[in-house]
Amino acid sequence: MYLIFFLFSFLLFPGCAQEMETIKKGEFVLGTLGEIICVAEKATCETAIEKAFREIKKLENLFSYFSKNSLVRQLNNAQGKPISVGEEFFAVIKKAKEISKKTGGAFDITISPLLKTWGFYEKEKPIFSEPHSELIKEKLSLVGSEKIILDEEKKSIVLKDKNMAIDLGGIAKGYIVDRAVKVMRDEGIKNALVNLGGDIFCLGKGENKSFWRIGIQDPLNAGRIVGSLKLSDKAVATSGQYENFREIGGKKFGHIIDPRSGYPVETDVLSVSVVAEDCLTADALATAIFVLGKEKAEPILKEFRAQAVIITRTGKGRHLWVSSGLEFSD
Ligand code: ADP
Ligand code: MG
């Protein structure tokens, strides 16, 4: 869940004196550490950061699977009836449906019944037994984004089967990063970084007009990085199986489910970091590519004009694959 990223900027233009300050604030949001860095005049930054965190908390409530008043909860309890969700939430679900279609169903927010069956909603019970294959088959019949019916006019949504449920865990952080960035922009901020537990947007440049540098965590060595990306006006999000998993009979099962099988993904992929124009896309694609594996990544990245760093396990350790055009250095 929580990815430790090392954020630092490079001095590309020494001697270029600016009256700007770099203001950094952290808060615990969305079950992770949220961090905003702002480069501008101090008071402007402080106001913008405060407003951005307020927006993050407001959206967290709407998008959470657990929170009592969330739209997700309302939809999941609707028993096949339409729910009016408003323009913003509607647009996110529409996007999630589109990404599901373009990834051949590898990314699918209707995966929720399987997350439940596999015990991922039980915080207190880390060890449990593997669900029966018949039960997995039954829950799989509830999965499929084509069963989310959208009414453009009314901005309302129906989950076709009353036992269906959605979970925005693979997309919410990314989307909320984008919204926080919009708040910062609206406050006149041109250079900032918003990081929600590893889902990041780099707005403009960092201190001293240098590019933002985002460290990619080494999945086999917590606290170390394998290299860093040089980014400006881009988002990056990472999916990996190394932080959030359940143990059954000594075997580790990660929290990303393969919608084709109903089982937690078993893969040689250790982590996928996707760079995209917006963080919602980066977040969803990282999850999708984690499901599909490195071999199927390229056409999907191309379709979304995105790039990636994919780390896979090899006999000797790990292998790094980096999209052409990415500025990555180790
Ligand atoms: P993290 O939350 O660690 O950043 P991801 O962005 O990859 O990781 O999201 C994983 C979350 O997405 C899971 O906890 C679950 O809520 C949800 N999820 C699991 N499998 C899928 C899937 N195939 N498609 C869409 N969402 C998924
Ligand atoms: Mg994701």
Side-chain angles (χ1 to χ4, degrees), residues 151-168:
D151 186 330
E152 282 281 350
E153 238 47 345
K154 296 188 181 132
K155 300 288 179 239
S156 72
I157 301 178
V158 183
L159 301 182
K160 227 172 151 184
D161 189 308
K162 65 177 177 22
N163 294 317
M164 277 173 75
I166 59 163
D167 183 306
L168 301 181

Side-chain angles (χ1 to χ4, degrees), residues 1-3 65 100 103 105-112 115 120-121 143 167-174 196-199 237-241 243-244 254-260 265 272 282-284 286-288 290-291:
M1 198 62 89
Y2 221 100
L3 294 159
Y65 177 86
S100 185
T103 58
F107 179 85
D108 201 318
I109 58 171
T110 64
I111 202 72
S112 179
L115 287 167
F120 284 104
Y121 294 137
V143 176
D167 183 306
L168 301 181
I171 206 172
K173 266 191 284 172
L196 294 181
D199 281 26
T238 302
S239 278
Q241 204 80 298
E243 278 164 334
N244 193 342
H255 68 145
I256 298 177
I257 310 269
D258 187 335
R260 298 166 298 186
V265 174
V272 182
D283 194 5
T287 306
F290 191 84
V291 170

Side-chain angles (χ1 to χ4, degrees), residues 38 81 116 231 236 244 300 322:
C38 172
K81 285 197 282 296
K116 192 170 182 183
L231 297 173
V236 57
N244 193 342
I300 289 175
V322 182

